[in-house]
Structures are given as C-alpha cells and as structure tokens.
Amino acid sequence: VLVDIKLSNERIEYDKYDLLHVFNIVRPADILKHIKRSELPYVVSTIFIDFNEYQKQNKGTRAVLSKYLSSDKVEYLKAIARWIKNGEAIQSKAYLYHGHKKSIQQIADGAAYLLPNSESEYLRFSKHYNIEKPYAVIYNGIDTEVFQAMRDDNNIHDPLKVLCVARLEGNKNQFNLIKALNDTRFKLTLIGNPAPNHISYYKACKKIAAGNISFEDFIPHDKLIKEYQSAKVHVLPSWNETCGLSSVEASFYQCNVVITDKGDTVEYFGKHAWYCNPADPESIYKAVERASQAPSDNTLHEKIISTYNWEQAATGTLLVYEKVLNKKVNEYNDQGKLNKNQRRENKSASIK
C-alpha cells in the first residue's frame, strides 16, 4: 500500500488516491473539508478522548463553561478561540454552522469504517454520539523488533526511580503527580516537551516541584529506552486516556505501570497495572508505592509481542482497506509476509 501522509491544512490532489484515512475525530473541523471535496471512501481512527472531566478541574473560564455546557459545546468554543487567539484556521466553514457534535456525527456517519484503539473506545464513542457503524479495533502498539534489539534483561530497575513520559499538558495531569510525589523518597523524572497551548501549565508544574522532581525535554528513543530500563515505575495519571502509548513502551521493559482509571486503559492492562484516581494525589502516591514494591511482571511484555505492536496494527488496518475497496490490496506468501513482486499500487492518503 502506497501512503502519502498529509496535514489537514495541506492542499491534496484527491484524484491520486483510492481511499482517505483520517485521524482524530475530536478535531472535526480539520476533517470535514477533505471528505466533502474528495468524494472518496474514508476510514477514521477516532482517538476519542473526552476532555470534560479535566476541564471541570480547571479554574477560571473553562471550569465555568464545563459546568454549564456540554463537552461538545466547550470543544466548539475552544476551536473558535484557537482560531481567534492563535490563528489556527478552521479548515471547514461547515463546522461553524453545524457545530462540534453534529460535525463529528456527520464524519462518523459517512465513514466506511471506524478504527478505535479499543472496544471500550468504540462503546464510549457510540454511546456519546448515538452512532453505530462498522468498526475494527486497531490496538496501539510499538515496533517490537526495534525495542527488543535495545532490551537489556540484566538492567536493574531502581525501586525509587519513577518516570512519566508524556507531553506536559493538563490532560496528562503531571501537576497532581508532582503533588503526590513531592518531598517523598521517590525520584520522579518527567520527560516531554510542554504542549504549545499549555505553557502556563508547564510553568505551574515547575513552580511547585520539590527537589526530588526533575524535568527533561523530549529525548531520542535510544536514551528513552535506557530510562525505561532503569526505572521501576512508570506513571501516567491522565484525566482520560485511550491507551497511553508510553505505558505500553514502559511495560515492554518490565516497568510496573501506574495508570489512570479513566478511559480505556483497563482493556489494555487488565490486572497487570496499578490504577489511580487522577483527581486524588493520595491515590496516585499509594499506587506508586504499591507498584514500587511489587515484583516486575512479564505478562504485559508477552502481550505486547503478540498483540500491541505495529505489525498487528498494520495487518488489521490493511484488512479494513481491503473490505472498503472490495478487493485484495496485496498478495502474501505462505508465511503471511508481503510478496513485493505481487504488490499493487493502491494509494491511500493519511490525514492528520
């Protein structure tokens, strides 16, 4: 399958493609224009995160709006604000008069398939928007070959070293994580850049952090893997999470993971994680304490090798493409590997 990756604000020659694959349905203004102009069949990786609970925790305007308005109306106002304040152009003017909820419903209704990252995500999305569509669960994953090549089973995980690998932003909830571990025996390292619209949040996190809390900007994978292999615990106490890809990465290296109990994490991690209430720093601390004392669990490592990897994600996505186009996109040999001599040149545009 030949794929061109496009940003939503790029000009696209639609007649070059057989199929559109669009990402992130919670930003419908970025999608509407392309599905209308192209008139191509399309599939949607929903990545449906409900920010309502996080917004209710905010102080000021967002908290007030979330108290009196639905989450979809708040998202609509946020899109308008990004347009006015940051110059983020709204790609489809139809979004302005349809609104957020109806725009998402329109996109989902016209999709040939939805590709949620879990069964739980689809059920949440279907209930919220009262939509039932053909769907295929495409689990998030990692490149196991690359990660396995860098794995060192002789590494000793420091029970006092705690990682949080994520962009610094409100939904990831680093502020409450810092409050939970401030001035404790744990050494917390926060790895990631601040999100562009969350600089004030980043500054607030830095301001309250005690001496046992350190910050690192985005780091390359080889260095990040060394961090995973030296820490005993990885924490991602988000207000809502479809998966938490860094938690999957950390699990591959046998970190014990502490994760939010909001969203779809239970489907991924089951009984092999420690869950916390993101609103309660004491709950976060107790989960970290339990995870630091527990032996490392190899169960998730094995599940990642079998299920949560990019080969499985690609295979599942390819099957959906074939169903939508009503033809077999590629031929495979007896081992299930792509036979490059029989490749057909179907074209897909992936829009983010």
Side-chain angles (χ1 to χ4, degrees), residues 20-129:
L20 296 184
H21 184 163
V22 297
F23 291 76
N24 197 5
I25 202 165
V26 296
R27 298 289 290 266
D30 294 341
I31 298 172
L32 281 172
K33 177 182 75 173
H34 298 291
I35 63 175
K36 285 188 174 183
R37 290 185 179 179
S38 71
E39 298 182 347
L40 291 171
Y42 63 92
V43 299
V44 184
S45 289
T46 46
I47 316 177
F48 177 54
I49 297 177
D50 187 349
F51 294 104
N52 197 45
E53 188 163 359
Y54 154 61
Q55 288 164 345
K56 287 179 179 178
Q57 309 300 321
N58 276 317
K59 297 178 180 178
T61 305
R62 285 189 182 182
V64 174
L65 291 175
S66 297
K67 185 176 181 179
Y68 295 104
L69 300 178
S70 69
S71 58
D72 291 296
K73 289 180 179 177
V74 172
E75 289 302 316
Y76 179 78
L77 292 176
K78 284 168 59 179
I80 301 298
R82 286 193 297 266
W83 181 25
I84 296 172
K85 184 178 178 180
N86 300 335
E88 294 184 25
I90 294 176
Q91 299 298 319
S92 173
K93 298 302 181 283
Y95 176 78
L96 293 173
Y97 53 82
H98 282 313
H100 192 80
K101 184 174 183 177
K102 287 186 177 179
S103 293
I104 287 180
Q105 288 173 325
Q106 182 179 348
I107 293 166
D109 187 59
Y113 257 80
L114 301 181
L115 304 179
N117 286 146
S118 65
E119 188 80 21
S120 170
E121 181 189 344
Y122 173 78
L123 293 175
R124 287 192 299 107
F125 179 80
S126 177
K127 180 179 179 181
H128 187 95
Y129 291 105

Side-chain angles (χ1 to χ4, degrees), residues 282-327:
E282 182 66 19
S283 170
I284 298 171
Y285 172 78
K286 288 180 178 179
V288 170
E289 183 71 51
R290 291 193 296 269
S292 72
Q293 295 179 11
S296 297
D297 187 347
N298 201 43
T299 307
L300 283 171
H301 173 82
E302 298 302 323
K303 193 167 186 180
I304 291 166
I305 291 175
S306 65
T307 306
Y308 303 148
N309 59 76
W310 291 132
E311 186 172 351
Q312 291 295 322
T315 299
T317 304
L318 175 63
L319 290 174
V320 171
Y321 288 175
E322 290 173 346
K323 288 179 181 179
V324 173
L325 297 176
N326 196 28
K327 58 185 174 181

Side-chain angles (χ1 to χ4, degrees), residues 328-345:
K328 193 163 181 59
V329 176
N330 289 304
E331 299 295 333
Y332 293 81
N333 62 23
D334 291 339
Q335 286 74 44
K337 299 296 184 181
L338 178 64
N339 186 337
K340 296 181 180 179
N341 294 327
Q342 296 175 340
R343 178 179 291 170
R344 299 174 186 170
E345 293 186 354

